[in-house]
Amino acid sequence: MSTDPAARAATTPSPPAPYVRIERLTKRFGDFVAVRQVSLEIARGEIFCLLGGSGCGKTTLLRMLAGFETPTEGSIYIDGVDVTGVPPYERPVNMMFQSYALFPHMTVEQNVAFGLRQDGTPRAEIETRVEEMLSLVKLDGYAKRKPHQLSGGQRQRVALARALVKRPKLLLLDEPLGALDKKLREHTQFELVGLQERLGVTFVIVTHDQEEAMTLASRIGVMRAGEILQVGSPTDIYEYPNSRFVADFIGSVNLVEGKLVEDEPDHVRIDCPQLGGTVYVDHGVSSPPDAQLSVAIRPEKLQLARERPEQPDNVLAGTVTGIAYLGDATRYLVRLSTGFVLRVTMPNVYRREEQFEQGQPVWVHWHASAAVVVMR
Amino acid sequence: MPGRRSLFVLMALAFGFAFLYLPILAMIVYSFNASRLVTVWDSANSPTLMWYAELFRNAPVLDSARLSFRIATVNATGAVILGTLAAFALERYRRFRGRALFGLLTTAPMVLPEVITGLSLLLLFVALEQAIGWPGGRGATTITIAHITFSMAYVIVVIQARLATVDRSLEEAAMDLGARPWKVFFVITLPLIMPAIASGWVLAFILSWDDLVITSFVSGPSSTTLPQLVFSKVRLGVSPDINALATILVLIVTACVVAAGVYMVRLEKRRARDAQTAFDAAT
Ligand SMILES: Nc1ncnc2c1ncn2[C@@H]1O[C@H](COP(=O)(O)OP(=O)(O)O)[C@@H](O)[C@H]1O
Ligand SMILES: [Mg+2]
């Protein structure tokens, strides 16, 4: 649609045979459709992130995978087996709950051992596996504590250990880092990825935090109102969003409306009244002529200059109307002659005094590959 | 002015407590009175434990006490078992047909006049006896059944309230880890609602131990509970040994309440202490 599929295929290795297959899954609560016709394929050993705003149906989809909700329509296959009607206690799937759901009346050790005990695993084996798991999440020495004697980060690790100790085919994590503070969260993200690589368990992670999804995921599924809008690697989703919503949801973006005025296989030109000119894009667009389109340009792909740069296209004159110094970068608001305001992020590789100032006339320019055309 | 307000609060408190406990206090004081006349204080020989000593030689009193205790214990246990099941059904299976009606019916005995509950139970027992020959006459069994029907309502309320605070995801997590629903109930839910079950038990015990009205409808000639005995004795004229008996009744109820209170405070303290440990560990 918006991008060259051949170019994209080259950046993404073709995934192996699907390990988890979700087919046209729908869940209704009364008249309300929480999940609508979702089809997904997840490969073995993948970290798949479901990303979307609050209330878009992420948890409901996850709960159907765990077996807590019965799908209204559709089916779920894990490792080739149809598990749609299988109760949670018989699925080869474990879940890490958003609230961790640690059993408050049991010690850390008993919590982690719980799953193994249900399977009638021999005592000696339970002991070694629990010990192994606790040291894997760096909780040796905490075995005899009760959950309320632990800090938030420690509880999170107990929940993880408890869900992983049964070596599930699929681990579901609902906002696994949501309850941790920012510093701990960043640290834990990398631990989580490391653990997943070591154990080779397939992860499905639900999050509303796009940064978290980008850090953790091998692939991301962006959800809105019960539907999956786009599935792809973090790069795909960021660089080649397939809709206005995805472009806007992931990161920061300048979105302007426009109309095709020049449609060639190797480039297009789009007239954008909001910018007071045309945008030249160096790749073809497969859309009907006269279609209403949007052009998405990331703020970090725009550049500012004092003198008019020597390029025929993609240059606009404006005035700096806002400056936010972020340390590693500075974000500028630039008002064009049409009144439209562009967001521009410039990395702070220059000295402070070489930066642009409030009210200064500037030229905004960008490379022909910077803009992405999405359907309105 | 804080001084004046605190004085007012103190007085209100004193008056309230006096209103509640002066009559009981008077009864307790008179139970140590040596005089046979209830209203005359025999200061020469008082206080004395003679009425208490007499009670423990009095076979009918001892029999009634034993009967009351047995009924209260069996009742509390039965009410807690049935009440837990009902509360679980009401709280966890929110969508079953007739749930609202079921909820209403289980708690109705709390608001129905005791006379009506007693009378209808009596009619039921009589009808049952004619139809299937059970229960053969009225006595300890019918009293226990009657007590269970009304005390269960209170137990349901107590346990349901607690159950509502138990995070559903705990039960789901257990199921996710491979525990079947009945196992989840016994291993996760039951331990978590244990405090409510304990207080429900004590409550049901006291309700049964105290009950007079419903008991009178369904008791037989050979089964006189302690409240019935007190009541029948009072009708023949108040004698000092009644004061002693009533004092013992009150003491037992108080002991139950205090024990439940101490248990709760201790749970609370342990929680606070553990939370403190967690805080220390985190910092
Ligand atoms: N048991 C339920 N009954 C009715 N509506 C529900 C139920 N569970 C979830 N929903 C609704 O489905 C929508 C999606 O919920 P959820 O999957 O929890 O969203 P998310 O996890 O993405 O925030 C919400 O609007 C929520 O109100
Ligand atoms: Mg959610």
Side-chain angles (χ1 to χ4, degrees), chain A residues 63 66 68 88-90 93-95 97 99 101-106 111 114-115 118-119 145 148-151 155 162-163 166, chain B residues 95 167 169-181 183 187-189 191-192 270-271 274-279 281-282:
Chain A
R63 287 172 60 82
F68 297 127
Y89 43 86
E90 284 170 3
V93 170
N94 284 126
M95 177 150 167
F97 288 75
S99 58
L102 299 179
F103 307 132
H105 56 299
M106 296 185 191
N111 263 284
F114 188 88
Q118 305 313 310
D119 292 353
R145 294 250 193 138
H148 51 256
Q149 294 169 308
L150 300 175
S151 71
R155 277 180 222 180
R162 190 180 69 177
K166 289 186 80 174
Chain B
R95 279 176 286 191
D167 188 357
S169 59
L170 291 176
E171 290 163 352
E172 286 177 346
M175 223 187 281
D176 185 63
L177 292 165
R180 276 149 199 287
K183 182 114 192 242
V187 183
I188 304 296
T189 318
L192 291 177
R270 198 167 63 199
R271 287 224 138 257
D274 288 348
Q276 187 61 43
T277 332
F279 181 76

Side-chain angles (χ1 to χ4, degrees), chain A residues 118-316:
Chain A
Q118 305 313 310
D119 292 353
T121 313
R123 231 171 207 290
E125 194 189 334
I126 294 184
E127 254 170 56
T128 45
R129 275 172 74 176
V130 167
E131 210 171 297
E132 236 174 65
M133 208 63 230
L134 284 181
S135 80
L136 200 60
V137 296
K138 303 197 185 78
L139 277 178
D140 350 45
Y142 288 89
K144 301 285 182 239
R145 294 250 193 138
K146 292 276 187 71
H148 51 256
Q149 294 169 308
L150 300 175
S151 71
Q154 292 166 340
R155 277 180 222 180
Q156 190 262 357
R157 300 212 294 277
V158 177
L160 192 62
R162 190 180 69 177
L164 277 171
V165 77
K166 289 186 80 174
R167 299 174 189 150
K169 291 186 168 177
L170 181 63
L171 185 70
L172 310 170
L173 304 99
D174 193 354
E175 311 262 359
L177 311 175
L180 305 181
D181 58 48
K182 193 166 165 24
K183 215 153 195 163
L184 192 55
R185 197 157 58 212
E186 279 170 11
H187 173 72
T188 313
Q189 278 171 2
F190 292 105
E191 276 195 354
L192 204 58
V193 174
L195 207 59
Q196 191 271 345
E197 277 169 1
R198 193 132 38 119
L199 298 174
V201 175
T202 310
F203 277 26
V204 175
I205 302 180
V206 154
T207 179
H208 65 271
D209 181 342
Q210 47 116 350
E211 211 175 295
E212 192 170 301
M214 305 286 258
T215 318
L216 293 173
S218 53
R219 282 192 308 149
I220 297 176
V222 183
M223 284 187 79
R224 184 183 61 169
E227 287 177 293
I228 296 220
L229 296 184
Q230 186 174 4
V231 176
S233 69
T235 325
D236 279 345
I237 302 259
Y238 189 80
E239 301 290 347
Y240 310 107
N242 67 0
S243 62
R244 269 186 82 109
F245 178 82
V246 174
D248 207 20
F249 189 76
I250 313 287
S252 170
V253 75
N254 295 292
L255 272 170
V256 291
E257 285 151 29
K259 228 164 85 180
L260 263 185
V261 288
E262 203 179 310
D263 190 2
E264 302 293 332
D266 66 333
H267 75 269
V268 292
R269 196 179 287 278
I270 293 159
D271 179 40
C272 302
Q274 281 165 307
L275 299 179
T278 61
V279 173
Y280 178 89
V281 182
D282 71 351
H283 55 76
V285 172
S286 52
S287 79
D290 283 344
Q292 293 290 310
L293 300 171
S294 290
V295 178
I297 315 173
R298 301 277 178 200
E300 74 274 10
K301 295 199 165 60
L302 292 176
Q303 280 171 316
L304 296 184
R306 282 163 225 275
E307 315 290 336
R308 191 182 205 286
E310 310 237 328
Q311 62 186 71
D313 291 302
N314 300 344
V315 178
L316 299 167

